[in-house]
Amino acid sequence: MSHKHEEQQPEERAGAKTILIVEDDDGIGAFLVQAISQETPHRVLLVHDAFQALKAVRSIRPGLLILDYQLPGMNGIELFDQLQTMEDLAAIPTILVSARLPEQEIRQRQIVGLSKPLELDELLEAIERLLGGDPASR
């Protein structure tokens, strides 16, 4: 029996976008990659700090950013602000994740904040809402 329903081929992933995850915790990063890869049609790129993210966006244009707030060297809000200064990245929807969300900064920037530990259903709903996905197409 074919495993085609489990591993979607690129041509089957119409409308799939790249989600750039910036997470320094290996366990959380691996969880996010696995969950998003299995539950959505989207591609995932995981980097471990803001500087790797800034380098990655030179070669890819993500459709969604998932940023950890507490990153080494530059926090998620500072990274978000830097990405917003780049013309082709200014309108990319963003989810900020943290055990202690900076509520005022999230409201000012109109980004989605999710508390750690993450609830998978809440994360998937936020991704679907921000990328305009159709749950029936999964």
Side-chain angles (χ1 to χ4, degrees), residues 42-59:
H42 306 295
R43 295 173 296 275
V44 181
L45 175 62
L46 171 65
V47 297
H48 297 286
D49 64 43
F51 304 103
Q52 290 177 349
L54 291 168
K55 185 177 179 182
V57 296
R58 289 186 216 149
S59 59

Side-chain angles (χ1 to χ4, degrees), residues 76-131:
I77 292 289
E78 293 166 336
L79 173 58
F80 175 82
D81 289 345
Q82 280 206 17
L83 293 170
Q84 291 297 295
T85 67
M86 300 176 187
E87 186 177 322
D88 56 338
L89 300 177
I92 295 176
T94 302
I95 298 172
L96 187 76
V97 296
S98 180
R100 292 192 308 258
L101 288 168
E103 298 291 342
Q104 182 178 356
E105 293 171 310
I106 289 172
R107 277 193 302 276
Q108 287 173 343
R109 289 163 179 83
Q110 298 181 342
I111 57 180
V112 174
L114 296 180
S115 294
K116 288 181 179 177
L118 291 168
E119 293 289 332
L120 182 58
D121 288 342
E122 185 180 19
L123 173 67
L124 294 173
E125 287 170 10
I127 291 169
E128 187 176 301
R129 188 173 67 249
L130 293 171
L131 291 179

Side-chain angles (χ1 to χ4, degrees), residues 19-22 32 36 64-68 95 97 123 127:
I19 298 174
L20 177 61
I21 300 172
V22 187
L32 291 170
I36 293 168
L64 175 68
L65 302 169
I66 299 178
L67 310 177
D68 182 21
I95 298 172
V97 296
L123 173 67
I127 291 169

Side-chain angles (χ1 to χ4, degrees), residues 17-36:
K17 298 189 173 153
T18 299
I19 298 174
L20 177 61
I21 300 172
V22 187
E23 172 60 67
D24 63 322
D25 181 292
D26 290 336
I28 295 171
F31 165 76
L32 291 170
V33 169
Q34 182 178 8
I36 293 168

